[in-house]
């Protein structure tokens, strides 16, 4: 299937939000008591909170699922369903470092909140699902790049390039999935496989594959990811066991499903995110840590605090 291309100008980045900071090194946003580690590959990942990360490789920097609401703020998740944020992000939206584009797993208010919607620069490119891109375009966004499952986009900035492939993902399964297909209560979601390419002096091209699960439940189709992408260096796994009240339906992986996904995809390393930021997240980090210990994944799972940087 044909690929999309997003070409980013080589000039300095514009701020993401009104009244936000100008372009600055990502390391300036790391907590003062953290010391970033440099690696030969040269990538950086900063966890802001919930599913929001800022990822940088060579000259390209992007943000996932921007959510800058504060503790006590509420989001709307479905008709009659709200959630309250219980953990603050690492910094406010107006302190957010400039990025080249946004990678959005889906258009849910805990991934693209009202604060973000009000203040974000409408010309900032956004890569997301066709559903999200359609709605963002209607809101005045001028640079949206929709991806169906398994479709790919090449992001180019000067001589730097990363590739992104949309991965399968489902918020709902079974009867709930059939109902949602007709009622459109919960938006469609995608995961992402981001491939960074590093050219060595001897001409060898080294790939680094970052998988981002998105807000999916675990189901059999996710096993196909391993067949198509058998070598995953790092997985960002959205957990939390998000459970809608009243109907008591879980719409993101809990600890058990998270381990099922890791065993199916076999990444070299994994980082849990989207795990304890809202009161509808019913599977805490401690549950996942127990499952990690039971299955022997301790040496491959990395736990970040908000505002901490991971070098890859």
């Amino acid at each position: 299937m044909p690929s999309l291309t997003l070409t980013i100008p080589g000039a300095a980045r514009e701020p993401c939000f009104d009244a936000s900071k100008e372009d600055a090194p990502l390391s300036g946003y790391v907590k003062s008591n953290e010391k970033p580690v440099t690696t030969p590959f040269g990538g950086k990942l900063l966890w802001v909170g919930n599913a929001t990360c800022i990822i940088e490789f060579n000259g390209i920097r992007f943000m996932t699922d921007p959510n800058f609401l504060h503790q006590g703020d509420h989001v709307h998740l479905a008709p009659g369903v709200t959630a309250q944020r219980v953990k603050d992000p690492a910094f406010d939206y107006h302190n957010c470092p400039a990025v080249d584009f946004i990678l959005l797993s889906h258009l849910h208010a805990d991934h693209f909140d009202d604060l973000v919607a009000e203040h974000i620069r409408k010309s900032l490119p956004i890569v997301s699902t066709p559903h999200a891109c359609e709605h963002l375009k209607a809101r005045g966004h001028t640079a949206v790049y929709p991806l169906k499952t398994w479709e790919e986009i090449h992001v180019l900035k000067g001589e730097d390039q990363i590739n992104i492939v949309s991965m399968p993902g489902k918020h709902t399964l079974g009867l709930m999935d059939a109902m949602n297909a007709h009622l459109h209560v919960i938006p469609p979601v995608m995961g992402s496989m981001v491939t960074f390419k590093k050219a060595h002096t001897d001409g060898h091209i080294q790939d680094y594959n970052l998988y981002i699960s998105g807000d999916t439940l675990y189901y059999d189709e996710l096993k196909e990811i391993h067949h198509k992408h058998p070598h995953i260096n790092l997985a960002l796994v959205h957990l939390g066991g998000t459970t809608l009240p009243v109907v008591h339906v879980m719409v993101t992986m809990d600890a058990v499903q998270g381990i099922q996904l890791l065993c199916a995809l076999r990444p070299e390393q994994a980082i849990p995110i989207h795990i304890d930021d809202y009161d509808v997240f019913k599977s805490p980090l401690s549950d996942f840590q127990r499952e990690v210990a039971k299955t022997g994944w301790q040496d491959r799972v990395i736990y970040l605090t908000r505002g901490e940087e991971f070098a890859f």
Side-chain angles (χ1 to χ4, degrees):
M1 60 183 65
S3 301
L4 295 175
T5 300
L6 165 57
T7 302
I8 299 167
R13 302 178 185 94
E14 296 181 53
C16 300
F17 303 98
D18 53 32
S20 63
K21 287 188 174 183
E22 299 295 332
D23 194 7
L26 186 61
S27 57
Y29 296 83
V30 180
K31 288 182 177 180
S32 59
N33 63 335
E34 303 292 347
K35 294 182 179 180
V37 178
T38 57
T39 65
F41 205 82
K44 299 176 182 178
L45 182 152
L46 174 67
W47 183 41
V48 181
N50 202 37
T52 309
C53 296
I54 299 174
I55 301 166
E56 183 175 314
F57 172 71
N58 286 347
I60 300 176
R61 182 193 294 168
F62 65 96
M63 176 162 51
T64 63
D65 296 3
N67 180 207
F68 288 94
L69 296 179
H70 280 257
Q71 181 179 347
D73 291 337
H74 289 78
V75 294
H76 175 263
L77 297 180
V81 178
T82 60
Q84 181 177 330
R85 188 157 195 174
V86 295
K87 296 285 183 69
D88 283 326
F91 44 76
D92 293 335
Y93 78 91
H94 50 76
N95 289 323
C96 182
V99 300
D100 295 306
F101 69 97
I102 286 174
L103 180 57
L104 180 64
S105 64
H106 64 307
L107 196 58
H108 233 164
D110 62 325
H111 294 255
F112 196 92
D113 60 56
D114 291 343
L115 192 67
V116 167
E118 179 181 357
H119 295 282
I120 195 170
R121 174 166 54 88
K122 293 297 191 290
S123 61
L124 182 62
I126 300 177
V127 177
S128 191
T129 65
H131 168 273
C133 288
E134 178 184 352
H135 285 264
L136 290 169
K137 189 174 182 180
R139 296 181 188 180
H141 290 265
T142 58
V144 294
Y145 295 82
L147 292 181
K148 296 178 182 178
T149 303
W150 305 120
E151 286 187 337
E152 183 176 19
I153 186 168
H154 306 297
V155 182
L156 309 175
K157 186 177 182 182
E159 296 183 354
D160 298 319
Q161 175 178 340
I162 62 176
N163 298 331
I164 302 171
V165 180
S166 174
M167 296 286 104
K170 284 189 175 184
H171 248 320
T172 53
L173 298 174
L175 178 60
M176 185 65 182
D177 194 40
M179 292 173 57
N180 192 51
H182 293 286
L183 300 177
H184 307 291
V185 173
I186 301 174
V189 62
M190 73 177 196
S192 299
M193 188 71 68
V194 185
T195 299
F196 307 92
K197 294 182 177 292
K198 183 179 180 68
H200 294 272
T201 54
D202 61 0
H204 171 66
I205 303 296
Q206 180 185 2
D207 285 354
Y208 187 95
N209 295 311
L210 167 66
Y211 168 67
I212 307 172
S213 72
D215 275 16
T216 186
L217 296 169
Y218 180 76
Y219 63 111
D220 282 345
E221 189 179 343
L222 296 182
K223 297 176 183 177
E224 191 174 352
I225 296 172
H226 180 69
H227 296 303
K228 291 178 179 289
H229 301 273
H231 185 200
I232 298 174
N233 298 91
L234 177 65
L236 292 180
V237 187
H238 293 205
L239 297 174
T242 309
T243 303
L244 301 182
V246 183
V247 291
H248 302 292
V249 172
M250 192 170 73
V251 294
T252 67
M253 292 182 290
D254 60 7
V256 172
Q257 290 194 10
I259 287 294
Q260 284 182 290
L261 180 68
L262 293 184
C263 290
L265 302 190
R266 306 173 204 168
E268 290 179 356
Q269 295 178 302
I271 299 174
I273 59 175
H274 188 279
I275 200 163
D276 56 3
D277 293 81
Y278 284 88
D279 61 358
V280 291
F281 295 178
K282 301 302 183 183
S283 180
L285 180 60
S286 56
D287 284 357
F288 185 65
Q289 290 171 323
R290 280 194 294 271
E291 294 299 322
V292 166
K294 282 165 56 177
T295 51
W297 274 77
Q298 299 97 314
D299 294 339
R300 287 186 278 178
V301 176
I302 299 147
Y303 301 103
L304 298 182
T305 57
R306 289 163 185 80
E308 186 177 356
E309 182 180 289
F310 172 75
F312 58 87

